Amino acid sequence: MPKEYRVGVYVRSNNAVIRSLITPGVKIGTSAVLTVPGRKNGRPVDVPLVVFPHDTGRYLIASYGIVNWVRNLRAAGGHAELRRGRDTEKITAIELSDDEAGPILRVSLLAGPPGIPRPMVRIFRRFFVLPYLDVDMNSSDEDFVRTAPHHPVFRVEPMGQS
């Protein structure tokens, strides 16, 4: 049984640091700041996320489950912005079916975030990702499809293309 993800002081401070680096343009792998309207008050919420490239697509992967950015993105109909420094891209994030999401989730877990050194990926995956998943590095494709409803995957499309 995976741990339930809780945003604590460490996560909030880490997100603030990462966001403060990405916003002025410091490149951290394929990370970007996702800006989406809050589902309760409509105010913009900024969350640093990895944009995972695979084949010809780009994906946002909810490794920690159905967290606030997922709920907000769903409430906004997938409409959001991705920012890296001065570059802002209006996007539509399209939630994949479980059958489509499972393989992307698996590849992202095995590969880790692009542009991040392999030893850091292994440590981060072991201590900060795997405890929240009910799959592991040796799980089958079917296991990843089965866990996909709990870890949504969104395909990123430029606004107006879906």
Side-chain angles (χ1 to χ4, degrees), residues 14-155:
N14 184 59
N15 281 353
V17 168
I18 299 298
R19 190 173 42 248
S20 71
L21 292 171
I22 295 170
T23 299
V26 175
K27 186 172 175 152
I28 302 173
T30 58
S31 294
V33 175
L34 175 75
T35 302
V36 63
R39 66 190 178 283
K40 294 178 183 175
N41 60 20
R43 281 184 275 173
V45 178
D46 294 335
V47 181
L49 295 175
V50 170
V51 180
F52 185 76
H54 179 64
D55 290 337
T56 59
R58 298 180 298 155
Y59 302 90
L60 301 176
I61 299 168
S63 301
Y64 298 118
I66 302 170
V67 293
N68 280 331
W69 71 261
V70 172
R71 292 182 191 102
N72 290 337
L73 193 56
R74 285 173 171 170
H79 301 293
E81 290 181 351
L82 285 176
R83 286 181 295 134
R84 288 179 206 91
R86 293 185 188 147
D87 298 329
T88 300
E89 177 185 17
K90 291 186 181 298
I91 64 160
T92 301
I94 301 158
E95 191 165 353
L96 301 182
S97 70
D98 298 344
D99 288 335
E100 295 171 305
I104 302 295
L105 183 59
R106 184 173 201 272
V107 168
S108 72
L109 180 64
L110 295 174
I116 305 299
R118 301 304 308 156
M120 286 180 66
V121 168
R122 283 193 288 276
I123 291 167
F124 187 82
R125 179 175 43 220
R126 168 71 175 92
F127 294 105
F128 298 103
V129 176
L130 284 172
Y132 301 99
L133 297 172
D134 53 0
V135 291
D136 62 29
M137 303 297 286
N138 300 313
S139 295
S140 69
D141 291 343
E142 294 79 22
D143 291 335
F144 279 91
V145 169
R146 197 169 23 262
T147 200
H150 308 291
H151 301 279
V153 176
F154 297 85
R155 186 178 68 248

